Amino acid sequence: MSYLKIFSVLLLSALLAACPKPVVPDPDPTDVTYGGDSGADTSGASGSGLGDGEFFGEAEETLGTVIYFDFDSSEVRAQDQDIVAAHAIRLNEDSFASVRLEGHADERGSREYNIGLGERRAQAVRQLLMIQGVNASQIQTVSFGEERPEAMGSSESDYARNRRVEIKYPR
Amino acid sequence: MYKKLIFAMLVTLCVATDATAQKLRINVQGIAQPTPVAIVPFGWEGNSPRSPLDIAGVINNDLKRSGRFAPIAETDMLQKPTDGADVDFDDWTILGIEAVVVGKLIETGDNAYTLQFQLFDPISRKQLVGYRMPASRGTMRAAAHRAADMIYEKLTGIKGVFGTKVAYVTAEQQGKERLYSLIVSDQDGENDHKIMESKDPIMSPAWSPDSRQLAYVSFEGSRSSIFVQTLRSGNRFQVSNKPGINGAPSFSPDGRKLVVTLGGVDGNPDIYVLDIRTREATRLTTHRAIDTEGTWSPDGRYIYFTSDRAGGPQIYRISANGGTPERVTFEGSYNARPRLSPDGTRLAMVHNDRGNFRIAVMNLETKDLLILSSGQQDESPSFAPNSDILIYATRQRGDGVLETVSADGMIRQKMASGQGDVREPVWSPFPRF
C-alpha cells in the first residue's frame, strides 16, 4: 500500500475533522473525549507542515477517537475508515504505542449479549488496524456492552451515539 | 444511605386458562379475586411495653404482595384473639373470611423470644397449622417471613418464598461519574445490604446453590473479571481475569463450577466451564458467533446459552460435558438470557415481541411461549426458588426498576426503588435453616 496515499487520507481526514460530520447524530465525537483539550486542535492540523514529525505527535487530538455503528452491525462505515487508517499510521510510526479499543452497544436486549456485540465492534476496528500493519500486541480490546452509555436517553439518536468504539491511548 | 425499596401492588390480571388458576377465584370480567384472609395483630408477652416487631404486619404484607390474598383491615375485625382457643369462627365467616391467623410473641430470656401462630379455616372450623419457633431480635423478621411461608404453602399448595433474598445491581449518577453497587435484600426489599461498590460497572450477579456466595462480573481497572464473594465475611476471590471478555457466570447445581463466557484476545465469546477450586476452564463451544449467558439445567445435565450462530440471538443447549449444541427457541427473531425454573419445566428468556424486549417463559414440554411482561426494555428474568414467580428489570421514566410476575402471568407487581437505576435482579435459592 502506498504510504503517500495513506498520508493524503490522513491530511483529508484532518481537514474533515474541522467540519461538522453530517451523518453521525453526535456532531463532534472528538469533543466528548477531549473536550478540555480542544484548544490544541487547530494548531496541530493547520500549523505544522507535512512531513513534520510534530504533526503526528499532535495528531491524537485532531483524530476522531469514536467510531459509530449502525443498528445490529459491527461494520466500520466508509466515512470512518479514514479515522481508523490514521490511527493505524500513528501506531505504525511508534511500535511502542499501544491502543485500547472500547466497544459499546445500545441498551436494547440482554446485557451479556450486548457485551458480545460491543466486543464484536472493537474487534472489527482491531482487524482494520491489523490489516494496515498494526501489530496485534499493540491493541487491547474491552467491551462495556450497554454499561457505559454516551447518551443516557432511550431515543433512536441516543442509541446511535451509544453503538460505538472508543479509541484510547493509555498513558 | 440507601432508601428502602417501596413496593406497590399493581394489577392482578387474569385469564383462567390453566390448572394453577383454580386456587384463584375468577369473576366474570376475568379478574382474579384474591382470597379474603385475616391476620389478627399478634399478642406480646414481655417486659417492654411494646412488641419489638409487628409480626402480623410482616405476614400481612407478604400475603398481600403475593396477589393471591386480601388481608382485611384490623378495624374490620370483630374480635382480636391471640390464642386459638379464643377464636369465634362465626365472627369470621360472617365477614367472608376464608383463613384466620392468630399468634403471639413471647419474651423467654435475654434477646430470646418464641414466635407462635395458628392458622384456622373458619368454615370447616379446623386448625390447619400450629407452629412455634425460637427467635432473637436479629432473626425475628426472618421468623415472621417463615410463618408467612408456612401459611402460604398451606393455603395454596405452593411453597412460599417470603424468606428468600434478592440480589441486584444499582447505578447512581454522581456528578460526572456513576457509582455501581451490588445489593442483597430480603425479597420484599427490606433489610438491604451493599455487598460491593465500584466506579466501574458491576454485572451479572449469580447465587451459589447454598445462597452463601455471589459470583459477579466487575470492570474494576477497566477490564472485566469474575469474582466470587462470600456474603457473611465479605471475602472475595477472583476466579477469572483472562484477556478479553470474562462474563456471565452461573453456578453449577453442586456449586463447584461456574459456566462463564470467555472471549480471548480475538474476542470470540464462547461458553466455558470453570472449576472454582482449580481455576481450570474447559471450553464447551467453539463457534465464531457470540455464545454467552450460559446457565445450568437443575439436573446438571445441560447448559443452556444464547448464541447468534443462526443470525439473531437464539437459545441453545449443550450437554454439560460438551458435544453438539441443539437449538431450543424458534419463535421470533430475538431470544436471549435463558434461565430455567428450578423445577426444570420452564425456560425464561428475553424475547423481542414486535420491537419490545419482554420477558417470556417457554414450557419445555409443550414448547408454548407465554409473554409475561409488558415493557419495552425488560431484561434479566430470574425464577424464584418455588418456580412460581419471576423477578426481572423494566424501565420506568428512564430508570430501571424491578417487577415480579407469577409464572402464569396473572399477578404482576412493581417494586420501585427510590434511588438510581436498578437492574439485574436474581432471586436466591431457598434458605437452609
Side-chain angles (χ1 to χ4, degrees), chain B residues 163-372:
Chain B
T164 59
K165 292 182 179 297
V166 170
Y168 53 90
V169 176
T170 66
E172 288 170 70
Q173 201 68 33
Q174 294 195 329
K176 278 189 149 181
E177 289 184 313
R178 293 182 110 187
L179 183 67
Y180 298 83
S181 305
L182 178 58
I183 312 280
V184 170
S185 76
D186 290 353
Q187 53 76 41
D188 58 1
E190 295 288 328
N191 199 18
D192 53 327
H193 295 284
K194 191 174 283 196
I195 299 306
M196 151 57 188
E197 68 176 32
S198 173
K199 288 191 166 139
D200 296 306
I202 301 170
M203 282 182 76
S204 305
W207 289 94
S208 65
D210 63 5
S211 62
R212 290 189 177 138
Q213 295 180 313
L214 282 177
Y216 57 87
V217 175
S218 169
F219 282 81
E220 50 206 274
S222 279
R223 47 187 312 230
S224 63
S225 48
I226 301 170
F227 287 90
V228 171
Q229 183 163 332
T230 302
L231 295 179
R232 187 157 293 181
S233 66
N235 291 338
R236 63 172 199 166
F237 51 96
Q238 198 177 51
V239 293
S240 182
N241 64 335
K242 298 195 162 49
I245 295 173
N246 298 271
S250 183
F251 279 92
S252 61
D254 66 7
R256 290 182 189 163
K257 288 172 264 179
L258 289 171
V259 56
V260 298
T261 301
L262 300 178
V265 282
D266 293 328
N268 173 26
D270 276 308
I271 302 292
Y272 288 72
V273 171
L274 182 75
D275 185 299
I276 295 172
R277 196 175 54 81
T278 66
R279 311 284 155 85
E280 196 185 322
T282 310
R283 190 170 187 164
L284 280 197
T285 67
T286 53
H287 202 278
R288 281 168 49 87
I290 296 170
D291 292 341
T292 188
E293 303 179 322
T295 186
W296 250 280
S297 63
D299 62 11
R301 288 174 61 206
Y302 294 100
I303 286 165
Y304 286 71
F305 64 99
T306 306
S307 175
D308 62 0
R309 57 187 63 204
Q314 294 292 342
I315 293 161
Y316 294 74
R317 73 171 188 182
I318 187 170
S319 161
N321 302 317
T324 308
E326 161 194 8
R327 186 166 164 178
V328 177
T329 55
F330 292 92
E331 200 166 321
S333 60
Y334 190 112
N335 293 298
R337 222 276 189 170
R339 284 295 181 272
L340 286 135
S341 61
D343 65 10
T345 63
R346 279 163 295 184
L347 179 70
M349 67 194 82
V350 174
H351 171 78
N352 188 334
D353 178 29
R354 289 160 297 173
N356 297 306
F357 292 91
R358 289 181 173 158
I359 307 307
V361 164
M362 188 172 99
N363 181 317
L364 287 172
E365 201 180 318
T366 65
K367 311 288 180 201
D368 287 342
L369 193 74
L370 182 65
I371 292 163
L372 298 181

Side-chain angles (χ1 to χ4, degrees), chain A residues 100 107-113 115-117 119-120 123 126 142-144 146-149 152 159, chain B residues 173 178 180 200 204 219 222 245 248 265-267 290 293 308 313 334 337 357 377 379 395 423-424:
Chain A
R100 203 163 72 147
E107 67 180 12
R108 283 175 288 183
S110 174
R111 285 177 185 271
E112 284 282 2
Y113 181 69
I115 291 283
L117 290 180
E119 179 73 24
R120 194 177 267 170
Q123 290 294 333
R126 177 174 176 262
V142 62
S143 173
F144 288 105
E146 62 177 283
E147 308 303 315
R148 277 193 173 153
M152 285 301 188
Y159 293 156
Chain B
Q173 201 68 33
R178 293 182 110 187
Y180 298 83
D200 296 306
S204 305
F219 282 81
S222 279
I245 295 173
V265 282
D266 293 328
I290 296 170
E293 303 179 322
D308 62 0
Y334 190 112
R337 222 276 189 170
F357 292 91
Q377 301 288 345
E379 58 185 23
R395 292 292 166 92
R423 73 279 287 277
E424 300 202 82

Side-chain angles (χ1 to χ4, degrees), chain A residues 84 87-88 91-92 95-102 122-142 165 167-168 170, chain B residues 243 265-266:
Chain A
V84 179
H87 283 281
L91 289 159
N92 284 330
S95 58
F96 291 105
S98 66
V99 71
R100 203 163 72 147
L101 308 173
E102 298 187 349
Q123 290 294 333
V125 175
R126 177 174 176 262
Q127 289 301 327
L128 213 47
L129 288 172
M130 284 167 62
I131 286 167
Q132 293 170 70
V134 178
N135 199 310
S137 65
Q138 289 176 276
I139 312 168
Q140 237 193 353
T141 61
V142 62
V165 168
I167 303 170
K168 291 190 171 173
Chain B
V265 282
D266 293 328

